[in-house]
Amino acid sequence: MDIDPVTAPFGTVFGPKMAASRFIDGSYQPLEMVAPDDISVHPAAHVLHYGSSCFEGLKAHRQVDGSVKAFRPARHAQRLLNSAARLRLPEPEFEMVLAAINSTVEANASSTPYSPGSLYLRPVIIGTERNIGAAGRPAKEAIFYVLASPVGPYFAGGSLTLVVETDLPRTTPQFGSVKTGANYAMALGLIERAAAEYGADQVLFAPGGQVEETGASNIIVVHGDTITTPALTDGFLHGVTRESLLELAPTLGYTVDERTLALDELLSLISANGCEVLLTGTAAVVSPVGTLIHAGVHHYVAGADANMHAARLRNALVAIQTGVNEAPSDWP
Ligand SMILES: *Cc1c(COP(=O)(O)O)cnc(C)c1O
């Protein structure tokens, strides 16, 4: 490979093989290994007109023993099936999703960089039926595939600047907890505006003054030995990274406090002490927020200089992802 995937922009280099299955005549066909270029989509495909798509994002990490292993694939497989159900896309068997992830990892193992690089995996389901008259019903044909992308870190390092949005929601209520393309398109205008006005990296959605998440990451606040984070609702994405960190937190001496988090309270935590505000996600891992901009006012997160908790939580997670430490035995 000529391009170094670790320094190339995240998600622009692709592994040579992917597992794929077509849904035709009412069932998914046996998985095949194909090249990304082997998949073509007709201009009339349902997904291109009516948005019938959902996806997952997980990583496989090179282990200390040299092998390559996906992190919590069962959690991601389950979430993909939940998304497919919500989008009225045909659901593959859970075991087929796991097999597709594992065989894609195996087929691209030699293209997987060492930590902090990894093999980013994109399981995708799209409606492929060629029928522009089918606006009012689900696609009868679909493709499920697992695209692989060798990657380096998503964020360059340093701390992030977020603009808080309290008026517009990130997505519609029925799609808040699914990964579907339109959610990201909906947020683009706001992210572009935040970048143009403030040079911000992302938007933090807090509709009606209740903190939810950013465009593609969950948010946690560490103050003292407490981790506070919004409790799960249907309105935002239930991150596997968030869940994993909350499960590890007690073993690192933190108390977990999941509840509704008002923006006012977040801002007073930031002004009161050296708390840390962190974004969590498969791509972001654990990324510190340095500045929150609300109603034109900059709120600086004092703890972002030291990043003590960010480093501690990230190291604990990465040690499990790379096989330095064992995962808790009850982790699916
Ligand atoms: C994917 C995603 C996350 C993070 O989920 P992980 O499972 O931790 O990767 C958070 N918010 C949104 C909107 C996402 O799309």
Side-chain angles (χ1 to χ4, degrees):
M1 206 177 290
D2 302 329
I3 304 163
D4 178 3
V6 175
T7 51
F10 188 101
T12 60
V13 177
F14 302 103
K17 294 278 178 211
M18 58 186 210
S21 165
R22 279 182 185 276
F23 181 87
I24 33 178
D25 298 332
S27 60
Y28 277 100
Q29 306 303 301
L31 285 173
E32 287 183 88
M33 289 309 285
V34 302
D37 288 343
D38 291 345
I39 301 273
S40 64
V41 171
H42 191 272
H46 197 269
V47 60
L48 299 179
H49 301 263
Y50 307 123
S52 51
S53 79
C54 64
F55 67 93
E56 265 306 313
L58 72 161
K59 281 176 176 168
H61 302 265
R62 200 170 276 284
Q63 307 290 293
V64 279
D65 68 5
S67 63
V68 180
K69 195 173 153 204
F71 181 65
R72 306 197 74 174
R75 298 298 291 135
H76 289 276
Q78 190 55 58
R79 196 169 65 188
L80 180 71
L81 297 182
N82 295 347
S83 295
R86 206 57 81 88
L87 268 295
R88 298 297 183 267
L89 279 159
E91 293 162 61
E93 295 286 334
F94 175 76
E95 294 303 332
M96 178 184 255
V97 179
L98 275 189
I101 290 171
N102 289 332
S103 52
T104 302
V105 170
E106 206 173 304
N108 295 283
S110 64
S111 322
T112 303
Y114 279 83
S115 180
S118 61
L119 188 68
Y120 184 80
L121 299 162
R122 254 307 149 90
V124 177
I125 305 175
I126 53 176
T128 52
E129 184 184 341
R130 303 170 180 199
N131 183 349
I132 54 175
R137 63 159 175 79
K140 289 180 180 157
E141 290 178 8
I143 309 180
F144 161 54
Y145 59 85
V146 180
L147 181 62
S149 175
V151 294
Y154 184 68
F155 289 119
S159 57
L160 303 169
T161 298
L162 309 183
V163 171
V164 182
E165 172 62 45
T166 53
D167 292 333
L168 294 173
R170 186 183 66 89
T171 172
T172 62
Q174 68 270 39
F175 284 165
S177 61
V178 306
K179 281 190 181 283
T180 187
N183 284 352
Y184 306 87
M186 274 178 69
L188 290 180
L190 290 170
I191 296 171
E192 268 200 341
R193 196 171 75 196
E197 283 181 9
Y198 298 107
D201 301 288
Q202 257 295 348
V203 171
L204 174 64
F205 290 89
Q210 300 299 323
V211 176
E212 285 189 337
E213 62 169 335
T214 68
S217 310
N218 295 124
I219 186 165
I220 65 175
V221 185
V222 192
H223 50 109
D225 57 9
T226 301
I227 296 181
T228 298
T229 193
L232 297 180
T233 67
D234 244 7
F236 72 94
L237 207 283
H238 302 179
V240 176
T241 314
R242 171 192 179 280
E243 174 183 320
S244 302
L245 288 168
L246 297 188
E247 286 166 346
L248 288 177
T251 69
L252 300 169
Y254 295 103
T255 302
V256 174
D257 179 25
E258 280 183 88
R259 57 183 167 82
T260 54
L261 176 62
L263 176 62
D264 287 347
E265 192 187 351
L266 174 61
L267 296 179
S268 49
L269 280 172
I270 289 173
S271 62
N273 60 31
C275 83
E276 288 179 37
V277 177
L278 308 175
L279 299 189
T280 74
T282 296
V285 194
V286 177
S287 296
V289 176
T291 310
L292 222 65
I293 303 168
H294 174 51
V297 179
H298 287 60
H299 301 263
Y300 296 101
V301 182
D305 288 336
N307 277 325
M308 179 183 78
H309 299 295
R312 206 154 139 215
L313 290 163
R314 186 191 306 112
N315 291 343
L317 184 65
V318 170
I320 292 175
Q321 290 173 331
T322 55
V324 174
N325 288 341
E326 274 193 32
S329 56
D330 56 345
W331 272 14

